[in-house]
Amino acid sequence: MNNAHIKVFPGKIAIMGGGSWATALAKIIMYSQKEINWYMRRPDRIEDFKRMKHNPAYLPSITFDTSRIHFFSDINQAIESSDTLIFVTPSPYIKDHLKKVTASLKDKYIISAIKGIVPDENMLINDYFTTYYAVDPNNIIVIAGACHAEEIAMEHLSYLTLVCRDIKKARKLSENVFKTPYLNSSCSRDMTGLEYVSVLKNIYAIVAGICSGLKYGDNFQAVYIPNAFDEMIRFLNVVHPMKRNITSASYLSDLLVTSYSTFSRNRMFGKMIGEGNSVNVAKVELGMVAEGYYAAKCIHEINEDFKVDMPILNALYAILYERKSPVIQIGKITEIFN
């Protein structure tokens, strides 16, 4: 890497995306940084943002000093003007966004706030950047952990995990960038494990929502979550075995909040299905991307090679992609819980 290009990590930081999580992350980053770059695909949204001093489409309660934001509607200009790029694009769309990129990503620091998996390739986000864009694996950081954008907007105490193979970079971000009075962050080297956790928790949150829609109560949910966690552990231990403290908050908290929270779009999506809506109607009514919908297919295909025992995943795949009855599929898995 050309060290002359980036004198100090993280250098100039850019938010790459315009949704709720991107907006929450911008709020966090601007607490410690004098200025940020911000790429949004639509110029009209940028103009509205400048005029209204908040994101016109997401989390309008967060107001910004727009004199400290350099907006870009051209993704290549944003990349060329920045050192660290925080990608906050839903995983189903990341390939299309990156197809527009002609600027080099090779010498950039990449932070992935995408809690999903690249469809078709069935690749984790960090693997996609290293494979197709020649980004140094040690220059990729992943944001994991339990943190809803809505609660960041309200400045409720929240926690993140910053994951990097070069743990010094994660610690530097934790100490100097991702630190506010309402946010704490921890660090980890388990890139593959925590990326898979971020993918799997969305799958299990959809099932939690389906169960809620089917009127399964809190007693059932209290048994369901540990069984989902056991399934997650089985998958991780086969796909990426390593010594890890699997019961730590870095692994468990995101599953809990995504399965329980009323802010969880994956849970909401599942609840609509459990209440009798078709999958297609639920997707339209949600009006947002439920990452777990795409993740269920990707993980199901990945597991065809590994053959991990994953009855919850299989039940959800049958509901979403084979149009099987939620009542019957959920009934099957309840019989094997313990």
Side-chain angles (χ1 to χ4, degrees), residues 204 222-232 234 312 333 336-338:
Y204 300 127
V223 173
Y224 164 71
I225 295 297
N227 278 272
F229 192 52
D230 284 345
E231 185 168 302
M232 179 186 290
R234 287 197 300 273
I312 300 173
I333 61 174
I336 61 173
F337 285 173
N338 54 53

Side-chain angles (χ1 to χ4, degrees), residues 25 74 97 117 123 165 168 205 210 221 250 285 288:
L25 286 171
D74 184 314
H97 279 286
I117 193 167
M123 295 179 72
R165 292 179 175 90
K168 291 180 182 178
I210 292 173
Q221 294 281 7
S250 296
E285 290 295 319
M288 300 176 287

Side-chain angles (χ1 to χ4, degrees), residues 244-287:
R244 52 171 65 95
N245 181 11
I246 197 69
T247 58
S248 72
S250 296
Y251 297 90
L252 182 56
S253 62
D254 213 359
L255 171 65
L256 292 173
V257 75
T258 312
S259 297
Y260 287 148
S261 176
T262 56
F263 291 126
S264 169
R265 63 187 64 179
N266 288 281
R267 178 185 168 85
M268 285 190 283
F269 175 65
K271 191 170 187 289
M272 292 177 191
I273 294 170
E275 290 172 341
N277 293 287
S278 70
V279 173
N280 288 336
V281 167
K283 287 168 67 176
V284 172
E285 290 295 319
L286 184 66

Side-chain angles (χ1 to χ4, degrees), residues 25-39:
L25 286 171
K27 175 183 171 73
I28 292 168
I29 302 301
M30 290 188 73
Y31 184 82
S32 62
Q33 306 298 301
K34 291 181 180 179
E35 295 180 331
I36 64 167
N37 293 336
W38 196 338
Y39 163 71

Side-chain angles (χ1 to χ4, degrees), residues 182-202:
Y182 53 87
L183 180 73
N184 292 318
S185 55
S186 59
C187 302
S188 173
R189 289 189 179 93
D190 186 10
M191 177 76 73
T192 299
L194 282 166
E195 272 211 275
Y196 269 126
V197 166
S198 295
V199 173
L200 290 163
K201 57 93 177 182
N202 289 326

Side-chain angles (χ1 to χ4, degrees), residues 50-261:
K50 290 178 179 178
R51 178 173 52 84
M52 301 166 71
K53 309 298 182 184
H54 64 76
N55 190 329
Y58 299 95
L59 303 183
S61 65
I62 303 179
T63 57
F64 290 90
D65 178 359
T66 53
S67 68
R68 296 166 54 206
I69 303 173
H70 301 281
F71 287 102
F72 297 85
S73 59
D74 184 314
I75 192 169
N76 291 294
Q77 289 181 1
I79 291 169
E80 290 169 351
S81 302
S82 310
D83 303 308
T84 295
L85 308 170
I86 305 179
F87 282 90
V88 208
T89 304
S91 60
Y93 308 140
I94 186 65
K95 285 197 301 184
D96 286 340
H97 279 286
L98 291 176
K99 284 178 182 176
K100 305 171 188 174
V101 172
T102 56
S104 174
L105 296 176
K106 185 177 180 180
D107 293 328
K108 303 296 182 180
Y109 294 107
I110 303 295
I111 299 178
S112 171
I114 303 169
K115 295 188 175 183
I117 193 167
V118 181
D120 300 326
E121 282 82 0
N122 293 343
M123 295 179 72
L124 296 174
I125 301 298
N126 88 88
D127 292 331
Y128 193 75
F129 275 106
T130 58
T131 301
Y132 291 99
Y133 294 91
V135 179
D136 184 340
N138 290 313
N139 289 342
I140 298 177
I141 300 96
V142 165
I143 298 175
C147 203
H148 281 306
E150 293 82 359
E151 295 207 351
I152 293 295
M154 294 183 283
E155 300 189 358
H156 289 179
L157 184 60
S158 302
Y159 296 80
L160 290 176
T161 300
L162 301 171
V163 194
C164 187
R165 292 179 175 90
D166 180 356
I167 198 70
K168 291 180 182 178
K169 290 188 178 76
R171 288 173 180 153
K172 189 164 187 177
L173 287 175
S174 176
E175 294 166 3
N176 300 326
V177 178
F178 288 89
K179 182 68 176 176
T180 76
Y182 53 87
L183 180 73
N184 292 318
S185 55
S186 59
C187 302
S188 173
R189 289 189 179 93
D190 186 10
M191 177 76 73
T192 299
L194 282 166
E195 272 211 275
Y196 269 126
V197 166
S198 295
V199 173
L200 290 163
K201 57 93 177 182
N202 289 326
I203 292 170
Y204 300 127
I206 291 178
V207 177
I210 292 173
C211 293
S212 176
L214 291 173
K215 304 302 182 184
Y216 284 83
D218 292 342
N219 291 341
F220 172 79
Q221 294 281 7
V223 173
Y224 164 71
I225 295 297
N227 278 272
F229 192 52
D230 284 345
E231 185 168 302
M232 179 186 290
I233 294 170
R234 287 197 300 273
F235 183 81
L236 290 184
N237 286 343
V238 172
V239 174
H240 186 61
M242 65 171 285
K243 185 177 180 180
R244 52 171 65 95
N245 181 11
I246 197 69
T247 58
S248 72
S250 296
Y251 297 90
L252 182 56
S253 62
D254 213 359
L255 171 65
L256 292 173
V257 75
T258 312
S259 297
Y260 287 148
S261 176

